Amino acid sequence: MFFQLKEAPKKTLDTYDKISELVCAILYFECTDHSANHHILYSANSKLESYREARDFYRPFDDPSTSLGQFSREAYQLANQKYNQLYTIIRGYMYLSDDTQREHFNHHFRFSKEKIDTFHALFSNKDHHKQLQLETSFYEHLKNDVAPLLTQFE
């Protein structure tokens, strides 16, 4: 007789799994210099500190009457935005690392389920982004969309 192997039942991903996978992907893309999974928070906090330093550096040079002063304002705003987004992503990663809160998070994200499903579908088919060399832009847009969702349970 031929051996018949049972396929393991495929686990359907719930909203918690999807948002957790997206947050981890954003964090790993943002912090490419980490050496192991347990160092991701150290790398993320180092990057957060570099954004804070850039923000503090450009703040005193803000002068609307000069071109470099306007550049400094734009650099300050960009550093501030990146700092706030990364801080939110880190907090979300820490919240989502507690698997015992799965039901709470699924209940919390029930109104954002369609958005998260769409984001996850785009993320799951990321080979198209690589072919078109849009990976960096994709992760920036994903970060812009996921960060506001994570601020809801602060």
Side-chain angles (χ1 to χ4, degrees):
M1 279 284 174
F2 294 104
F3 289 103
Q4 294 180 358
L5 299 175
K6 285 186 177 180
E7 286 186 19
K10 291 185 179 179
K11 180 184 171 191
T12 58
L13 297 177
D14 60 354
T15 306
Y16 173 85
D17 291 328
K18 291 178 183 177
I19 193 76
S20 184
E21 188 176 342
L22 292 173
V23 167
C24 287
I26 291 170
L27 205 53
Y28 289 135
F29 185 79
E30 185 77 23
C31 304
T32 56
D33 57 343
H34 71 281
S35 60
N37 287 344
H38 61 280
H39 291 139
I40 189 67
L41 287 177
Y42 176 77
S43 299
N45 282 323
S46 297
K47 188 144 196 166
L48 196 67
E49 182 66 20
S50 68
Y51 286 147
R52 188 192 61 75
E53 288 173 358
R55 183 182 66 181
D56 292 346
F57 173 77
Y58 284 111
R59 181 67 177 153
F61 298 111
D62 182 4
D63 182 10
S65 64
T66 65
S67 182
L68 280 177
Q70 292 171 359
F71 168 78
S72 295
R73 174 180 289 167
E74 292 169 6
Y76 167 78
Q77 290 171 346
L78 180 65
N80 196 32
Q81 176 192 7
K82 288 190 172 285
Y83 177 87
N84 290 332
Q85 282 180 337
L86 185 58
Y87 179 78
T88 303
I89 297 295
I90 292 170
R91 297 282 298 188
Y93 179 80
M94 291 169 43
Y95 283 132
L96 291 166
S97 65
D98 185 11
D99 196 40
T100 61
Q101 298 291 325
R102 177 182 296 274
E103 291 303 319
H104 170 71
F105 289 125
N106 281 333
H107 176 73
H108 179 77
F109 287 122
R110 69 189 182 281
F111 295 121
S112 305
K113 185 178 182 337
E114 292 83 21
K115 281 184 186 179
I116 294 170
D117 289 343
T118 303
F119 299 157
H120 191 266
L122 282 168
F123 173 73
S124 297
N125 297 315
K126 59 185 170 210
D127 53 332
H128 299 295
H129 311 304
K130 289 180 182 178
Q131 288 175 349
L132 298 173
Q133 298 175 347
L134 297 173
E135 195 171 19
T136 304
S137 178
F138 171 75
Y139 278 103
E140 286 297 320
H141 290 289
L142 183 63
K143 189 172 30 169
N144 288 338
D145 288 337
V146 169
L149 293 175
L150 296 175
T151 59
Q152 294 175 6
F153 56 72
E154 288 270 328

